[in-house]
Amino acid sequence: MHNQNFFFNILTFDWLQEKQTFYFGLEEIGHCQKIHKSIFPNEIETIFPGVTTDGTEVIYTTFGGEREGFTPLEIDLPDENPHFAKRYYDRQINYYFRAIKEKIVKVGFIKENQVWLPVVPLETNTANTIESPFDFYERFSLKVQIKSVSSYPEIQLSYDGKSRVLKRSLADIIGDISPINFKWVLHKGQLYKFDTLAENGIDDYENVFPVVNTKLFRALGFEFAAPSKKKKNKYLSYLQAINDFKTNHLDTEEFKAIIPLHEAGFLTVNPATINRTNQDGNQMLFGNGKLHVAPYYGIKEGGPYANTPFSKIHFFLIFHKDDFKAASDVKSHLEKGFEWYKGLQKFVKILFHTEPGFSIQFTDKENPLAEIEDTLNNRQFNPDLKYFAIYITPFGRDTTDLDKKEVYYKVKETLLKRNIPSQVIDPKKMALQGKDFTNSLTNISVAILAKLKGIPWRLQTPVKKELIVGVGAFKHIDLDVQYIGSAFSFNNNGSFNRFEYFMKHELDILAGSISNQIKEYVAVNNAPERLIIHFYKTMSDEELQPIIAALENLGLSIPVFIVTINKTLSKDLVAFDQSLAGLMPQSGTYISIGNNKYLLFNNTRYTADVIKDTEGWHFPIKLKIDCTHKNQLQEVRVINDLIDQVYQFSRIYWKSVSHQNLPVTIKYPEMVAQIAPHFESAEIPHFGKDNLWFL
């Protein structure tokens, strides 16, 4: 590994050297803060005897302000309950920015402070400039943590991007916009949840301005801009933003009077905490024994690892009459090629054939489902053939019209019920991409192969006796419900077995499903040596216990590893490698951040060379590792192996030849959970349980 010079987006500061006097009460009197028993100071029993054992859940504090009826207690913060110390410093930062500097401050779930700074619009001399309907704010979070990665109290300073606040008031837009679209609002320099306006006594709605979320943005009739092909270096822009905030707002005598920051600046990462995954994990195995780090070149040079097992395949197209040319072009591209793409047969070894007159042309663009189903019901399907549908959709998944969006999902479902996998193509995106549609064709080809049970590529890993189960989730903005889709299950070489799908509260079904997968595994392979669960959040005892019970019922006392994989790529904690141009650490680098937590850099920077902007500048993902056999967590080799596995499982994403930095154990279930709730029965047809139809 090259000589690293890593640093975190963390600032350290000195403890207050002298004991401080705090004031506490058992009842809420005036303006004070409620603190849970987990945050009680160590010596709280000296002023309230028995308070930690008599069932008291909360007490109240003014922190440093005297209050009649409150009792003083001297506290030495460096030796105090770290949760109480954190709360104190959070409160100091909040008071400084909100009361002294009069900034907008939003308080998060763990009392971290997010400071909103107005973005000053750039001056322009263009007379025709259209004024934006929004005010923009840049958001910065200051999260206090006690000795997390250093020997001091720390501030994790993160840049959370921009937020938009509508310039029109709530009173002005409520006639046209349903209140279901509002979540946060701004009132006289303070943020409130929309649902709490009444309890806060706010009813002057002409002074209430909605913070724009995705639902509101769509409801207002705005459309999202197409993403740029050239991806900006997020590491450079992120560091620039937090450096500017630090210089302008934290490196001041005023702020340092309450939080005495160290002069050294951002915290250097201890080199002893930095490691790398096995670099063989970058290599994937393609056809003819070809090894390569890049899927496109691997499949181009070696072909797919395993061809589709179906030899007699009939493709057919489904399209609106206005999209006849687009459908013809898609057929031609897949059959004969387009630009440098040489067609489905040359790229993924699938013979492309469409039977004349078998494709479906519909006339009702608004509701094509009835026509499509009627035609399918009257078609003669040959059981000796494998059918595959290519649906040229008049409405993409990103349409703002929910009824039109539903058609997209219903067509997928009606085909799935007939054991027909499908590939959806948006003709508008196709036209927009022009010659660049060649890139999409390579992705489409890989997805078609996977849906036809071929294996585009696999991991170059010796097969072990272990079962890997991935559980992921997707929260539907439109439905406001969180669903879980569970990818059951994988062997350690990335071979997909099957999956189940269920809702968030169905923990018993989750446990039963994992139990069934273990039974199936045991029947074929004998008992696995360990069970590894990739979970989208920290797994609670309530979620884990039924799985342990299921293993006991099978007579298995194998270790169960739970690897929590933070679905939201880590923007709160980032590390920079200032010895590399662009600051992004090499792929496979991981840093221990204490308590069995790790920061894993998963990108396409396989060497120290600068990467192409089109590849993206991925932020790290956060991992937390736990085990039912705690002694296993002390084994360095075991931990390295589990992190290697997360890293490798991000390499077998078959929706595209582009790199993904989330493993498919989390990504695939999320994709299932994104689609399945839209199905009429909210159930996945049986055929779909062991098929990657959702790619």
Side-chain angles (χ1 to χ4, degrees):
M1 198 185 296
H2 70 278
N3 182 29
Q4 292 129 340
N5 194 356
F6 281 69
F7 63 93
F8 287 124
N9 57 322
I10 288 175
L11 301 164
T12 54
F13 60 94
D14 282 323
W15 293 101
L16 294 171
Q17 294 305 308
E18 298 171 358
K19 287 188 175 183
Q20 305 293 309
T21 302
F22 292 86
Y23 294 84
F24 298 93
L26 296 173
E27 303 291 334
E28 186 173 8
I29 303 172
H31 184 70
C32 55
Q33 277 201 30
K34 176 168 64 177
I35 60 171
H36 185 259
K37 62 183 178 184
S38 60
I39 300 173
F40 288 0
N42 293 337
E43 303 300 320
I44 195 67
E45 291 265 355
T46 60
I47 58 171
F48 301 134
V51 74
T52 60
T53 55
D54 64 5
T56 301
E57 288 290 315
V58 297
I59 59 174
Y60 300 87
T61 182
T62 60
F63 288 103
E66 289 189 55
R67 169 93 26 99
E68 189 175 342
F70 275 46
T71 308
L73 176 65
E74 264 200 347
I75 287 177
D76 188 14
L77 282 171
D79 298 323
E80 188 44 69
N81 176 349
H83 300 294
F84 179 80
K86 168 186 157 36
R87 178 65 66 86
Y88 166 71
Y89 285 119
D90 278 330
R91 183 254 185 194
Q92 292 292 85
I93 291 170
N94 181 279
Y95 181 79
Y96 175 80
F97 280 104
R98 183 179 46 79
I100 298 175
K101 290 301 178 182
E102 299 182 331
K103 303 293 183 191
I104 299 169
V105 181
K106 182 180 177 184
V107 179
F109 181 67
I110 54 170
K111 300 297 181 186
E112 74 276 19
N113 294 289
Q114 189 184 69
V115 180
W116 289 37
L117 301 178
V119 177
V120 180
L122 295 171
E123 292 295 329
T124 176
N125 297 321
T126 308
N128 296 326
T129 299
I130 300 171
E131 186 182 359
S132 170
F134 312 116
D135 286 320
F136 289 88
Y137 294 84
E138 289 199 304
R139 301 167 297 150
F140 297 86
S141 284
L142 294 92
K143 179 182 168 187
V144 174
Q145 46 200 32
I146 307 300
K147 297 196 233 182
S148 175
V149 289
S150 74
S151 306
Y152 296 94
E154 306 156 3
I155 295 175
Q156 193 171 283
L157 174 61
S158 58
Y159 174 58
D160 301 336
K162 290 190 177 86
S163 268
R164 293 172 284 209
V165 176
L166 197 65
K167 287 180 178 177
R168 294 171 65 194
S169 72
L170 195 59
D172 190 26
I173 66 169
I174 194 64
D176 300 316
I177 305 296
S178 163
I180 200 169
N181 296 295
F182 305 129
K183 191 169 183 183
W184 286 90
V185 293
L186 184 63
H187 176 258
K188 297 183 177 177
Q190 207 162 333
L191 288 162
Y192 297 90
K193 279 194 169 177
F194 174 71
D195 294 345
T196 68
L197 287 178
E199 65 191 64
N200 283 290
I202 297 169
D203 57 10
D204 54 333
Y205 300 123
E206 64 279 359
N207 291 315
V208 175
F209 299 90
V211 176
V212 180
N213 56 54
T214 304
K215 278 177 77 170
L216 179 56
F217 190 75
R218 287 175 177 163
L220 289 164
F222 295 110
E223 294 216 356
F224 293 102
S228 169
K229 279 186 285 185
K230 184 176 179 181
K231 297 177 172 64
K232 293 180 181 175
N233 184 339
K234 294 184 285 188
Y235 283 80
L236 291 176
S237 56
Y238 187 102
L239 183 59
Q240 179 73 52
I242 60 174
N243 258 328
D244 289 348
F245 185 89
K246 173 177 168 290
T247 301
N248 297 329
H249 301 281
L250 305 183
D251 288 340
T252 65
E253 293 306 314
E254 220 175 343
F255 183 77
K256 288 182 177 179
I258 63 158
I259 304 284
L261 293 174
H262 292 155
E263 295 298 327
F266 290 116
L267 178 68
T268 300
V269 178
N270 179 354
T273 64
I274 304 171
N275 209 333
R276 287 289 294 279
T277 56
N278 180 353
Q279 288 310 284
D280 287 343
N282 287 327
Q283 298 276 353
M284 289 160 292
L285 188 57
F286 297 85
N288 300 307
K290 178 70 183 174
L291 289 169
H292 211 290
V293 296
Y296 170 72
Y297 292 105
I299 216 164
K300 183 182 176 189
E301 295 168 21
Y305 174 76
N307 295 342
T308 172
F310 302 107
S311 55
K312 299 172 184 174
I313 305 167
H314 273 201
F315 289 85
F316 65 99
L317 291 97
I318 303 173
F319 57 94
H320 183 258
K321 60 184 177 64
D322 292 349
D323 291 322
F324 180 83
K325 183 177 185 311
S328 299
D329 287 345
V330 168
K331 177 181 179 295
S332 173
H333 297 342
L334 292 174
E335 191 173 24
K336 300 171 185 172
F338 175 59
E339 298 290 324
W340 47 260
Y341 169 77
K342 301 303 179 189
L344 207 59
Q345 181 184 332
K346 289 276 176 63
F347 194 62
V348 288
K349 314 301 182 199
I350 293 176
L351 294 167
F352 185 87
H353 174 79
T354 55
E355 195 70 8
F358 202 90
S359 290
I360 300 170
Q361 178 177 290
F362 57 87
T363 55
D364 187 346
K365 184 180 280 192
E366 298 300 311
N367 184 23
L369 194 62
E371 273 184 84
I372 293 169
E373 286 199 313
D374 187 52
T375 308
L376 289 170
N377 288 336
N378 289 298
R379 276 277 146 82
Q380 290 294 318
F381 289 97
N382 185 338
D384 291 336
L385 295 175
K386 182 64 182 175
Y387 292 92
F388 193 104
I390 295 171
Y391 175 46
I392 311 296
T393 176
F395 309 111
R397 274 200 295 179
D398 52 0
T399 179
T400 54
D401 187 316
L402 296 184
D403 290 335
K404 289 174 180 174
K405 186 188 283 191
E406 285 301 307
V407 171
Y408 170 94
Y409 297 113
K410 295 294 189 288
V411 171
K412 247 189 176 330
E413 181 183 17
T414 199
L415 290 164
L416 204 53
K417 284 176 179 174
R418 293 168 170 83
N419 292 6
I420 300 172
S422 60
Q423 179 68 38
V424 179
I425 295 175
D426 185 341
K428 295 185 189 69
K429 288 183 179 175
M430 183 177 155
L432 203 63
Q433 287 176 331
K435 289 183 178 180
D436 287 337
F437 187 60
T438 47
N439 298 317
S440 293
L441 284 166
T442 59
N443 296 336
I444 288 165
S445 299
V446 166
I448 288 174
L449 175 64
K451 289 170 185 177
L452 287 169
K453 296 201 172 185
I455 302 175
W457 57 87
R458 58 154 275 194
L459 298 173
Q460 189 202 3
T461 309
V463 176
K464 295 179 184 173
K465 289 180 66 177
E466 60 189 21
L467 188 63
I468 299 121
V469 173
V471 183
F474 179 81
K475 182 159 186 175
H476 281 265
I477 294 170
D478 299 330
L479 307 175
D480 200 28
V481 178
Q482 190 164 42
Y483 292 85
I484 292 176
S486 188
F488 283 112
S489 51
F490 293 87
N491 298 332
N492 74 297
N493 68 350
S495 301
F496 166 72
N497 296 330
R498 61 179 279 114
F499 70 84
E500 299 288 345
Y501 156 79
F502 35 84
M503 291 178 65
K504 185 177 182 180
H505 61 274
E506 296 175 326
L507 297 179
D508 54 336
I509 300 178
L510 165 61
S513 191
I514 292 176
S515 173
N516 288 337
Q517 293 304 313
I518 296 165
K519 285 177 187 172
E520 287 182 18
Y521 183 96
V522 170
V524 176
N525 306 289
N526 296 323
E529 291 172 0
R530 60 183 184 177
L531 171 64
I532 299 162
I533 302 174
H534 289 178
F535 214 68
Y536 71 100
K537 66 176 183 65
T538 301
M539 201 174 201
S540 67
D541 284 343
E542 184 190 3
E543 289 159 327
L544 181 59
Q545 281 313 311
I547 297 167
I548 303 298
L551 287 170
E552 288 173 354
N553 289 338
L554 292 169
L556 298 174
S557 58
I558 59 173
V560 180
F561 288 91
I562 300 99
V563 184
T564 303
I565 300 171
N566 201 328
K567 185 190 135 186
T568 308
L569 303 180
S570 178
K571 290 183 184 177
D572 57 349
L573 181 59
V574 184
F576 305 86
D577 185 349
Q578 56 191 345
S579 67
L580 291 178
L583 301 174
M584 182 173 73
Q586 277 184 240
S587 190
T589 302
Y590 63 93
I591 302 172
S592 170
I593 52 176
N595 298 319
N596 295 312
K597 294 179 183 175
Y598 302 86
L599 209 57
L600 172 62
F601 294 85
N602 196 355
N603 52 60
T604 52
R605 187 173 217 158
Y606 301 124
T607 67
D609 299 334
V610 179
I611 68 164
K612 296 177 184 175
D613 282 339
T614 50
E615 296 287 357
W617 299 82
H618 297 297
F619 278 136
I621 57 176
K622 244 193 241 170
L623 309 177
K624 179 185 175 188
I625 300 175
D626 204 353
C627 186
T628 52
H629 295 43
K630 298 298 180 188
N631 61 314
Q632 294 271 325
L633 296 172
Q634 309 306 315
E635 297 283 340
V636 174
R637 181 188 56 77
V638 170
I639 298 300
N640 291 349
D641 185 42
L642 291 167
I643 295 173
D644 262 4
Q645 200 169 70
V646 171
Y647 182 72
Q648 290 172 344
F649 266 70
S650 68
R651 298 284 180 289
I652 47 173
Y653 178 73
W654 294 335
K655 188 180 172 68
S656 139
V657 294
S658 295
H659 176 81
Q660 287 291 310
N661 54 352
L662 273 175
V664 294
T665 42
I666 296 295
K667 191 73 180 168
Y668 281 179
E670 178 194 337
M671 292 163 74
V672 172
Q674 193 172 355
I675 299 171
H678 295 275
F679 287 177
E680 196 170 0
S681 60
E683 283 284 330
I684 295 167
H686 184 73
F687 159 73
K689 299 293 181 72
D690 61 355
N691 182 281
L692 299 175
W693 56 268
F694 49 83
L695 292 175

